[in-house]
Amino acid sequence: MSPDRPHRLLRAAVVGAGGIARSSHLPALRTLAAEGETDVVAVVDVDDTAVRAFADTFRIPYASTDLDTMLAEVRPDLVVLCTPPAVHREQSVAALRAGAWVWCEKPPCPSLADYDAVGAEEKGGDGDPYASIVFQHRFGSGARHVRRLLREGAFGRPLVAHCQTTWYRDTAYYSVPWRGRWATEGGGPAMGHGIHQTDLLLDLMGPWTEVRGMVARLVHDVETEDVSTAQIRFADGAVGTVVNSVLSPDEVSRIRIDCELATVELTHLYGYRNADWRITPAPGVPEETVARWHDFGEDEPSSHLAQLRSLVADIRAGRRHATSGAGGRRTLEFITALYKSAFTDVPVRAGDIGPGDPYYTALHGDAPGWAPAEPHQEEDPA
């Protein structure tokens, strides 16, 4: 959308009428609609009863069970994907070919190959439609404030980082057929749960150069892991750890970055406010400096709304959104490298995984004991 066009509502279509759309995406879209930015004009879901109930409840004028038909008949500006990861590639490509921007719920795609296939459908100009990923933790006021201070060097050099997503999921959670399977979920907690904290860590710390991973399947009867750990080396020399778990009754999401002049900590669960951040100065830092560090400004919680506001502004300005293209790919590349390192027992460097590498097309990389079992073939009696 060219920045010199008259201001008009961005016509949005929601794909997937499940819980995440109801709880997160649609409220954000409706808030921006009240602010004169968006208009929800269509909803699509494979379940006819669900999609019509969704449209009736939220007074959405168009409901369909077919994405291609909706794209042809409605021609939305923005397609919001609230669907399982296995269909993200197909749906993103269809939306881009129809001339729409895409905002896709995490995980972005089950593989780097899928992600790159979506990117190949973009025309390439910053003002042309592109696909972006829901990584809403980058967009709260706390992250913006800390990111700026880190970039300015206010805390000195980052030295040590810790990233923790230790949550709890029971057996009933994995009774949903697409969960815990490589083909449909893409990966375990490293992919589907810890990805938000991992993305925020990478956004704050900058480029990573090397990862050494370890995964385990300790409790759940799933194809993927239920716990993972990783050691990271960053381009500036800092080192870090990442822990992802769905086995932890005392649930917490946490990031800690130790710098030369301060320790920065974020502790929350599924979303944060300014009060969830803590900055502890090193001895000798002047009080007036610490006071400036603690001035986070107006509190904007991390949320789908915070990110959607940023995305709409970027679309209107004809610029790339931070979670599109390379800005979204780096997190998926890191997670892919974590799995490859874990399954091969060797460190993996940024840029190592590309076409021809089995981990480029599937996060399990056909690793023995982890790749999905081949379907049993009955012998031909003839």
Side-chain angles (χ1 to χ4, degrees), residues 54 104 111-112 202 227 234 247 279-281 320 371:
F54 192 97
C104 177
S111 72
L112 286 170
L202 297 178
V227 64
F234 294 93
L247 310 178
I279 301 175
T280 304
R320 272 276 174 185

Side-chain angles (χ1 to χ4, degrees), residues 153-207:
F155 303 136
R157 286 188 304 133
L159 303 171
V160 184
H162 308 276
C163 180
Q164 175 185 351
T165 304
T166 43
W167 294 354
Y168 186 80
R169 297 294 184 266
D170 60 15
T171 302
Y173 175 84
Y174 284 103
S175 67
V176 177
W178 61 268
R179 289 181 178 150
R181 297 175 57 203
W182 296 106
T184 48
E185 193 169 18
M191 180 72 156
H193 303 85
I195 192 170
H196 280 309
Q197 292 304 117
T198 299
D199 178 74
L200 179 55
L201 177 73
L202 297 178
D203 184 58
L204 295 174
M205 292 292 292

Side-chain angles (χ1 to χ4, degrees), residues 259-321:
C259 303
E260 291 176 305
L261 300 177
T263 291
V264 180
E265 294 178 276
L266 167 64
T267 303
H268 66 115
L269 187 53
Y270 299 134
Y272 61 79
R273 308 185 71 94
N274 287 350
D276 296 317
W277 293 81
R278 186 173 69 175
I279 301 175
T280 304
V285 176
E287 291 185 6
E288 58 270 24
T289 298
V290 176
R292 287 196 299 271
W293 291 350
H294 287 161
D295 183 9
F296 280 73
E298 184 177 353
D299 192 1
E300 182 176 23
S302 64
S303 65
H304 286 66
L305 176 59
Q307 181 174 2
L308 184 61
R309 277 205 177 102
S310 176
L311 174 61
V312 169
D314 288 339
I315 291 172
R316 293 197 181 283
R319 62 178 173 246
R320 272 276 174 185
H321 186 62

Side-chain angles (χ1 to χ4, degrees), residues 203-224:
D203 184 58
L204 295 174
M205 292 292 292
W208 63 275
T209 60
E210 181 183 339
V211 60
R212 300 167 185 254
M214 183 179 295
V215 301
R217 189 190 296 124
L218 300 179
V219 173
H220 294 293
D221 182 17
V222 292
E223 290 181 348
T224 63

